[in-house]
Each structure stands twice: as structure tokens, then as C-alpha cells.
Amino acid sequence: MTDAPLLQVENLAVEFRSGGAWHRAVRGVDLAVHRNETLAVVGESGSGKSVTALAAMGLVPKETGRIVEGSRIRLEGRDLVGLSERELDRVRGDRMAMIFQEPMTALNPTMTVGAQVSETLRAHRGLGAEAARREALRVLELVKVPSAARRLADYPHQFSGGMRQRVMIAMALACQPAVLLADEPTTALDVTIQAQVLALLEDLKREYGLAVLFITHNLGVVALIADRVAVMYAGEIVETGTAAALFDSPRHPYTEALLRSMPRVDRDIGALEPIQGNVPSIREIGAGCAFAPRCPHAQDRCRAERPTLADDGAGRGVRCWVRGLA
Ligand code: ADP
Ligand code: MG
């Protein structure tokens, strides 16, 4: 891929304070998402996926969290780290938008859906009331909300879970962002509705050339939507590559273990093997490889020294002393 990435995260580190000390939840993440590309970020719960996306949106809670100096978050070339809240407000929902697992975190229960989508358009696009209403109708039709004209007057609770998810996607896409961050947006939906929402996101990506950062713990979803994959563990990316490369020839023992632990919609299920042990909390990450305590291949070096990411220069990277790229 030769074009410049629309979103480029470099050396991102995020810390939270607890018990009087700062602990690192994201530890030097690099990733890039290009136009018309879906990068899936995958890993067990607690790996740092959501914190990575929230940091990109400038939404790390100020009282207890901080982005560590030296982190870079470039949106269409412009570094967002250190921007004021006011400047971030202008970017959020405009050039970059985020959708969540629970639509009610994004939707206001006391406002009609039409009013909410219109308000976003009026704030960012400076549209008048009537133009905003027309545009709101257009985006609700775009995300295939049936009888959209009538449903503009409905409140979020009057929509089903799948339809609420479409409304949230409509809100996110209303201002035609370049980058969409999606954090487990289909996890709460049943399988059929999930497939419909994924297909919709795929269509929208292609039609608008969106750069999509798609967070999921579900490898079946990854197989359906990802162009490239970043596997995250304990705040680090431990393996990256095309979806095909990771599924066909995983290198990192964590990627292998994930593949063996999860059902896949795209192939026969062998015996599933749960990964023994737990993702470490941010307070208990030691000096060596964070996966070493759960890793069947771990050696002395793994317990003593943090692995570097070996990179083939063509988008494949592995952070492992034992199974790294030769
Ligand atoms: P994921 O999305 O991969 O499940 P998260 O990014 O939510 O994981 O969390 C990564 C780590 O950061 C976890 O150990 C979590 O407990 C911690 N964490 C996330 N948000 C906060 C917060 N606001 N305060 C303290 N710790 C947090
Ligand atoms: Mg999460």
C-alpha cells in the first residue's frame, strides 16, 4: 500500500493511575489504517484495544489517565496529541468518528433520532434546520433503516438493538469522516443481525473509501471483514499481517492460541482449546514478554527481556524471541 495512511498511530502509550502509581495499559503501539481498508485489532478482553481507540479519539479520562509523551496520533497527517478540547471537538465526529458496542453510549435517550443526527450535521457542517433534516434522512436511508422518514420522529428506545446500531453508524457517518473507529460494534447483536451490520459497514467502507479500525475479540468477525490484522496482548501489538497470513501461518504463540480457542464461521470447528491463565492486569506486567507466563514455548530470555517487534518491511511483524521472523 503506497498511499499515506489516513490514521497513523506511532509509539502510543497510555497510563492509568491506581493505588498512587501510574500503570501502562498501552505500551508502544504502532498502527496505520489506509483509505478503503479495514484493520482489525483483536485480542482477549483487557488487552488494551479500547484504550487504544479512545486515545485516538482524545477520550482518555483526564482525571485518571494520560497519553505518555512521545505518542503520536496522526489523522490525515495532523498530530492530534496535545490539541485542546475545542480543537478535538472539531475533529471528533467530523474527520474521525467512533461507534461502540452499546449504542446507548452514543445516543441521547431524550432526543428523537432525527433531531440527534440533524444536530451533528448542524454543529459540524453548519447546515440549517431543513437541510440538516434532509441530510439526516439521507444517512438513515444509507444505513438501511426501513421507513426512515417516519422513524426520524422516534426515540432510540423505540428501535431494536440492530436498528439502534444502524442509527449510531448513521450518526458516525453523517459528516463523512475519513476514519471510523468501531469498538466491538456487533458483539451484543445476535448472529444474523451481526452479519447484516458487518455487511453494511463493508459496503460503506467501499463506497466512501473509509479507513476502518475495527476492534473485536471475535476471530470469526475478523475473517469476515479484515484486510489486515493487529493482534494485541497486554497493551502491545504482538503480531501483524494480512488476515490471510495470520490465519494461514500465525507465528506468535498468542495468535496460535487465539486461533485454537475460538470458533470460526469460515471453517470447520476442530476441538476448541481455551487459553490457560489470564491477561495480566496493568499492575502486574513484568520485565519480559507479557505472554511468557502462559506460553508453551517460553524460554529464560522471554521471562527476562521484552521482545522487540521483528518486521519484514512488508507489513508482517512478530514480537517473539522464539517464533519471530527468521
Ligand atoms: P480491551 O478493550 O482490549 O478489552 P481495555 O483497552 O479496555 O481492554 O483495557 C486495557 C487495560 O487497561 C485493562 O487492564 C483495563 O483494566 C485497563 N483500563 C482501561 N480503562 C481504564 C481506566 N479508565 N482506569 C484504569 N484502568 C483502565
Ligand atoms: Mg474493549
Side-chain angles (χ1 to χ4, degrees):
M1 198 126 344
T2 52
D3 56 329
L6 296 180
L7 176 67
Q8 182 155 32
V9 170
E10 291 171 314
N11 194 31
L12 176 66
V14 182
E15 295 178 339
F16 292 105
R17 193 171 45 201
S18 82
W22 290 94
H23 301 281
R24 209 160 270 207
V26 173
R27 305 186 296 141
V29 161
D30 293 298
L31 53 83
V33 200
H34 298 80
R35 187 182 155 73
N36 196 23
E37 179 179 62
T38 300
L39 172 69
V41 178
V42 62
E44 289 163 285
S45 181
S47 312
K49 306 180 300 292
S50 293
V51 173
T52 299
L54 289 171
M57 287 291 280
L59 294 174
V60 172
K62 294 258 168 334
E63 317 74 54
T64 55
R66 65 183 182 197
I67 293 182
V68 176
E69 193 155 323
S71 304
R72 292 276 167 273
I73 296 161
R74 286 184 221 283
L75 176 64
E76 300 177 295
R78 177 188 188 202
D79 190 3
L80 304 184
V81 176
L83 288 192
S84 69
E85 270 311 300
R86 217 170 126 244
E87 290 166 312
L88 279 172
D89 264 338
R90 220 172 292 149
V91 172
R92 277 194 292 254
D94 189 22
R95 300 309 298 158
M96 177 157 64
M98 186 158 173
I99 58 177
F100 303 88
Q101 176 173 336
E102 180 37 69
M104 285 317 233
T105 57
L107 299 175
N108 180 341
T110 68
M111 251 170 115
T112 67
V113 158
Q116 289 183 60
V117 182
S118 300
E119 188 179 85
T120 304
L121 287 157
R122 298 184 70 172
H124 285 287
R125 284 287 130 95
L127 297 183
E130 185 47 36
R133 205 198 70 90
R134 270 201 309 275
E135 188 60 15
L137 176 58
R138 194 187 66 81
V139 288
L140 286 178
E141 284 171 345
L142 186 73
V143 300
K144 304 196 173 75
V145 170
S147 319
R150 184 167 55 73
R151 305 224 60 183
L152 284 174
D154 284 349
Y155 289 87
H157 73 266
Q158 294 170 283
F159 286 73
S160 67
M163 281 301 146
R164 270 207 287 271
Q165 212 66 7
R166 285 170 193 264
V167 171
M168 181 169 55
I169 295 168
M171 291 263 287
L173 296 182
C175 294
Q176 299 171 20
V179 176
L180 180 67
L181 307 177
D183 190 355
E184 312 254 11
T186 60
T187 301
L189 302 175
D190 75 51
V191 176
T192 312
I193 307 293
Q194 175 170 327
Q196 291 167 3
V197 172
L198 292 173
L200 169 69
L201 282 172
E202 183 64 22
D203 287 349
L204 294 168
K205 178 197 86 173
R206 227 176 290 138
E207 194 164 335
Y208 295 97
L210 279 173
V212 181
L213 182 90
F214 195 106
I215 292 172
T216 179
H217 67 272
N218 183 335
L219 286 169
V221 169
V222 174
L224 286 174
I225 52 120
D227 299 303
R228 288 187 303 118
V229 183
V231 179
M232 242 183 127
Y233 188 77
E236 294 180 310
I237 290 178
V238 297
E239 182 160 10
T240 59
T242 62
L246 261 77
F247 282 120
D248 295 344
S249 48
R251 305 276 313 207
H252 198 287
Y254 181 60
T255 312
E256 275 187 346
L258 265 186
L259 285 167
R260 280 198 303 263
S261 72
M262 288 183 195
R264 299 265 303 278
V265 291
D266 62 327
R267 61 179 62 168
D268 282 346
I269 303 176
L272 295 179
E273 291 175 42
I275 313 176
Q276 299 300 320
N278 298 302
V279 175
S281 86
I282 58 177
R283 303 178 68 152
E284 54 187 31
I285 295 170
C289 171
F291 188 60
R294 303 170 78 186
C295 181
H297 307 287
Q299 302 172 0
D300 288 344
R301 187 184 187 188
C302 307
R303 286 178 276 268
E305 196 182 341
R306 182 179 168 191
T308 51
L309 190 84
D311 178 342
D312 72 356
R316 188 73 195 274
V318 182
R319 189 186 292 281
C320 178
W321 291 132
V322 179
R323 306 285 297 284
L325 299 170

